[in-house]
Amino acid sequence: MEYTVQKLGRLAGVSTRTLRYYDEISILKPARITSSGYRIYGQAEVARLQQILFYKELGFSLERIKKIVTDPSFNEAEALKEHREQLLEKRKRLDMLIVNVEKTIASSEGGMTMTDKEKFEGFKQKLIDDNEKKYGEEIRNKYGDDTVNKSNEQLKNMTQKEYKEVTRLENEVTTTLAEAFKTGDPAGDIAQRAAELHKQWLTYFWSEYSKEAHAGIAQMYVDDERFKVYYDKKQPGTAEFLRDAIHIYTGFKK
Amino acid sequence: MEYTVQKLGRLAGVSTRTLRYYDEISILKPARITSSGYRIYGQAEVARLQQILFYKELGFSLERIKKIVTDPSFNEAEALKEHREQLLEKRKRLDMLIVNVEKTIASSEGGMTMTDKEKFEGFKQKLIDDNEKKYGEEIRNKYGDDTVNKSNEQLKNMTQKEYKEVTRLENEVTTTLAEAFKTGDPAGDIAQRAAELHKQWLTYFWSEYSKEAHAGIAQMYVDDERFKVYYDKKQPGTAEFLRDAIHIYTGFKK
DNA sequence: GATTGACTTTGACGCAACGTAAAGGTTTAT
DNA sequence: ATAAACCTTTACGTTGCGTCAAAGTCAATC
């Protein structure tokens, strides 16, 4: 069976323009061309178009589809997995957008024209709460209530600038750590920078810093499920990696 | 204070090209223009740019932002709600894409090596055991041995594909739940998605699903220490949060 | 065989939100 | 005076086609 553009288009549910475009970008060339210049497609082209449309439905770009369908040695499984990661990232961003839109709706409906200061206060409180939830009990048991209260006091008294700095630091720790993890070497420059950043971050919550306590926290990251989950979220093994890096950084011996 | 393109750009974190483009589409015109043609912005323009960037962060198109910032009689709240609907639609499509990609991955990985297959058998047995330990007794008492045995039979007969799906679901439940917990709203979109995922997960173990039983399980998560510990592991209060979300999802009244 | 209607071709503009030159004028500092 | 740093407009490229426009081709009917 042979098809002209329109016939193939109807068969597959795409426009003739699309087929001409696919010809143009060499992702689907017609089997032959008549003397008068008409594009004629055969069975093989039908199958290939199906394949193209399949990947399109999965949200692949035509460029990537081209590589998959034209290069037979292409690793399809890997492409799929990578693509999935991208989709998950996309959804994460979308989720954040939705949350923010909903927050905005809520605040605009409440007639609360939150000033930046109020917004900031809210974030600050949330940070304290989160911190308390995540680490409070553990630290309370180990160091007593005083330390924690002092830490929280410290946080509450943060200026806006410091707040920005601490959240920035937190992000930098995680990104640097992820980068370092790829190298696989906890003694490497990047890993040591992550450890240094982690110390800096820590000093925002601890009134005094000691290498021993820092090394202790690092070990706790591995031993305690809650910490481990937090750090291993993106890459299993990250908690151990951070511990090793910090132990090297603080000169702690195993 | 007055700003040239570059100064304003640095202040707000956008490129000079962007500012020229915004001028071109009349969404942000400079306060005045010097005799030599330089664009000069003032305080009002800084504020407006902030506003534009705020809506941009929420994913609005410039065309819609233009309407919002130029037309003072524009109904902002309605625009936000409409926008939210669009985002939710977008996420639905994205979710479907992700599911399809994962299905494709699972089927393309159908050709596993023997060791993987063996591992899979081991995991399956472990899953049954865990399930038995965690829920067995409770369900046995409530629904009798037959239900549990049937459930275990069902699990054993899972295909590799289904197994992947169920473990993937389990992960997705926990991550979505964690995300939802941060919002604090069990009626919110993300929490409801978690409840939906939890239902999907459950149907892998239950031969039949009912809203009552689902709501019942949710309550049990809070009442029973073993369940509570499992769910509260990462964030105290998660078990309650999940229960509330599921109760809302199933329409169960307190 | 001429006309009609359905089909085909290439070519080119348009879309969103800028990035990235290119070519040239202006301001500021030395 | 001259260079460095800034500014201007113009215009092409990005993705995946939709949508004309102008012109040629094919099959069927009068």
Side-chain angles (χ1 to χ4, degrees):
Chain A
M1 188 59 180
E2 298 202 316
Y3 307 89
T4 58
V5 268
Q6 201 162 56
K7 281 183 187 164
L8 178 57
R10 267 203 299 266
L11 182 72
V14 299
S15 73
T16 60
R17 176 72 177 91
T18 299
L19 291 176
R20 278 188 214 101
Y21 181 64
Y22 287 178
D23 183 4
E24 190 186 330
I25 64 171
S26 302
I27 190 172
L28 180 68
K29 292 274 187 194
R32 64 187 180 84
I33 293 185
T34 67
S35 57
S36 51
Y38 282 25
R39 292 173 179 81
I40 303 294
Y41 299 88
Q43 279 308 323
E45 286 70 33
V46 175
R48 182 139 166 188
L49 180 54
Q50 300 291 359
Q51 206 189 350
I52 292 169
L53 295 178
F54 170 72
Y55 283 109
K56 243 195 59 170
E57 208 140 310
L58 296 184
F60 279 71
S61 72
L62 288 183
E63 199 180 0
R64 293 182 59 186
I65 295 175
K66 188 175 172 180
K67 276 177 191 145
I68 296 174
V69 300
T70 59
D71 183 358
S73 71
F74 195 82
N75 190 338
E76 186 196 324
E78 208 158 304
L80 279 166
K81 280 183 187 168
E82 197 184 321
H83 186 60
R84 185 185 60 181
E85 289 311 307
Q86 289 174 10
L87 289 178
L88 289 174
E89 267 306 307
K90 215 171 179 177
R91 192 176 63 185
K92 240 190 193 168
R93 286 200 301 274
L94 203 56
D95 278 344
M96 280 173 52
L97 275 189
I98 291 170
V99 167
N100 281 329
V101 168
E102 280 172 348
K103 270 186 193 160
T104 309
I105 290 174
S107 73
S108 86
E109 274 183 347
M112 328 167 7
T113 45
M114 263 216 254
T115 66
D116 280 347
K117 211 167 185 172
E118 284 170 321
K119 271 187 201 164
F120 169 51
E121 286 302 322
F123 279 130
K124 208 162 64 173
Q125 195 54 51
K126 188 182 177 311
L127 198 61
I128 293 176
D129 292 347
D130 286 0
N131 198 51
E132 178 74 16
K133 258 183 239 157
K134 273 191 222 153
Y135 315 108
E137 232 177 316
E138 197 77 29
I139 297 174
R140 239 179 247 286
N141 290 340
K142 273 206 168 163
Y143 302 98
D145 285 3
D146 279 359
T147 311
V148 175
N149 288 339
K150 213 155 107 192
S151 173
N152 285 349
E153 270 316 304
Q154 214 173 330
L155 190 56
K156 261 189 205 149
N157 290 329
M158 263 188 193
T159 68
Q160 205 157 325
K161 220 163 143 188
E162 287 170 324
Y163 164 78
K164 278 200 177 156
E165 178 66 9
V166 80
T167 48
R168 192 191 62 75
L169 260 176
E170 209 171 322
N171 282 330
E172 209 170 339
V173 168
T174 50
T175 57
T176 307
L177 189 58
E179 211 182 312
F181 187 80
K182 277 187 250 162
T183 71
D185 178 19
D189 290 333
I190 307 183
Q192 288 305 297
R193 193 149 58 82
E196 161 71 19
L197 287 166
H198 185 261
K199 169 191 166 179
Q200 284 180 28
W201 177 74
L202 209 54
T203 53
Y204 273 95
F205 304 100
W206 284 3
S207 28
E208 61 250 33
Y209 172 86
S210 78
K211 288 190 172 187
E212 288 71 24
H214 193 189
I217 276 279
Q219 183 58 46
M220 208 161 75
Y221 282 171
V222 176
D223 295 338
D224 189 299
E225 265 304 312
R226 290 165 306 170
F227 289 83
K228 199 163 147 42
V229 162
Y230 174 77
Y231 280 97
D232 283 4
K233 208 164 41 185
K234 287 164 205 168
Q235 283 285 326
T238 303
E240 279 89 349
F241 186 84
L242 178 59
R243 177 202 56 192
D244 293 344
I246 291 176
H247 279 185
I248 291 162
Y249 178 79
T250 57
F252 182 91
K253 279 157 207 138
K254 284 189 192 181
Chain B
M1 186 61 179
E2 297 202 317
Y3 307 88
T4 58
V5 269
Q6 201 162 57
K7 279 182 189 164
L8 179 57
R10 267 203 299 265
L11 182 72
V14 300
S15 73
T16 60
R17 176 68 177 95
T18 299
L19 291 175
R20 280 189 212 100
Y21 181 63
Y22 287 178
D23 183 5
E24 190 186 330
I25 64 170
S26 300
I27 189 171
L28 180 68
K29 293 273 184 195
R32 63 188 181 83
I33 293 186
T34 68
S35 58
S36 51
Y38 283 25
R39 292 174 179 79
I40 304 293
Y41 300 87
Q43 278 308 323
E45 286 71 33
V46 175
R48 180 139 167 187
L49 181 54
Q50 300 291 359
Q51 207 189 351
I52 291 169
L53 295 179
F54 170 73
Y55 283 109
K56 242 193 60 166
E57 207 141 311
L58 296 184
F60 278 72
S61 72
L62 288 183
E63 198 180 2
R64 294 183 58 186
I65 295 175
K66 189 175 172 181
K67 277 178 191 144
I68 295 174
V69 299
T70 59
D71 182 358
S73 71
F74 194 83
N75 189 337
E76 186 195 324
E78 207 158 307
L80 279 166
K81 279 182 191 170
E82 198 185 322
H83 185 59
R84 179 173 137 242
E85 289 311 307
Q86 288 173 11
L87 289 178
L88 289 174
E89 268 306 307
K90 217 172 178 176
R91 191 176 64 186
K92 243 190 198 167
R93 287 199 300 275
L94 203 56
D95 278 345
M96 280 171 54
L97 275 189
I98 291 169
V99 167
N100 280 330
V101 169
E102 279 170 348
K103 272 186 192 162
T104 308
I105 290 174
S107 74
S108 87
E109 277 182 350
M112 266 189 178
T113 64
M114 198 54 209
T115 51
D116 279 346
K117 217 167 187 170
E118 284 169 319
K119 267 189 207 161
F120 167 53
E121 288 303 322
F123 278 130
K124 207 160 66 174
Q125 195 54 51
K126 186 181 179 308
L127 199 61
I128 292 175
D129 293 346
D130 285 1
N131 198 53
E132 179 74 16
K133 252 183 250 160
K134 276 190 219 153
Y135 314 109
E137 233 175 317
E138 198 77 29
I139 297 175
R140 240 179 248 287
N141 290 340
K142 273 208 170 162
Y143 302 97
D145 285 4
D146 277 0
T147 311
V148 175
N149 287 340
K150 211 156 109 193
S151 174
N152 284 348
E153 270 316 302
Q154 215 173 328
L155 190 56
K156 261 189 207 151
N157 290 330
M158 265 188 191
T159 67
Q160 212 158 308
K161 223 161 140 184
E162 286 170 326
Y163 164 77
K164 284 212 166 148
E165 177 66 10
V166 80
T167 48
R168 190 191 64 75
L169 261 176
E170 211 171 321
N171 282 330
E172 211 170 337
V173 168
T174 50
T175 57
T176 307
L177 188 60
E179 211 182 311
F181 187 81
K182 278 188 248 162
T183 71
D185 177 17
D189 291 325
I190 305 183
Q192 288 304 296
R193 194 150 61 82
E196 160 73 18
L197 287 166
H198 184 261
K199 170 193 166 177
Q200 284 179 30
W201 177 75
L202 209 54
T203 54
Y204 273 93
F205 305 100
W206 284 3
S207 28
E208 61 249 36
Y209 172 85
S210 79
K211 288 189 170 183
E212 289 71 24
H214 193 190
I217 276 280
Q219 183 57 47
M220 209 159 74
Y221 282 171
V222 175
D223 296 339
D224 189 300
E225 264 306 310
R226 290 165 305 169
F227 289 83
K228 201 162 147 40
V229 162
Y230 174 76
Y231 278 97
D232 283 4
K233 204 164 46 183
K234 290 163 203 170
Q235 284 285 325
T238 303
E240 279 89 350
F241 186 83
L242 178 59
R243 178 202 54 191
D244 293 343
I246 291 175
H247 279 185
I248 290 163
Y249 178 78
T250 58
F252 183 89
K253 280 158 206 136
K254 283 189 194 182

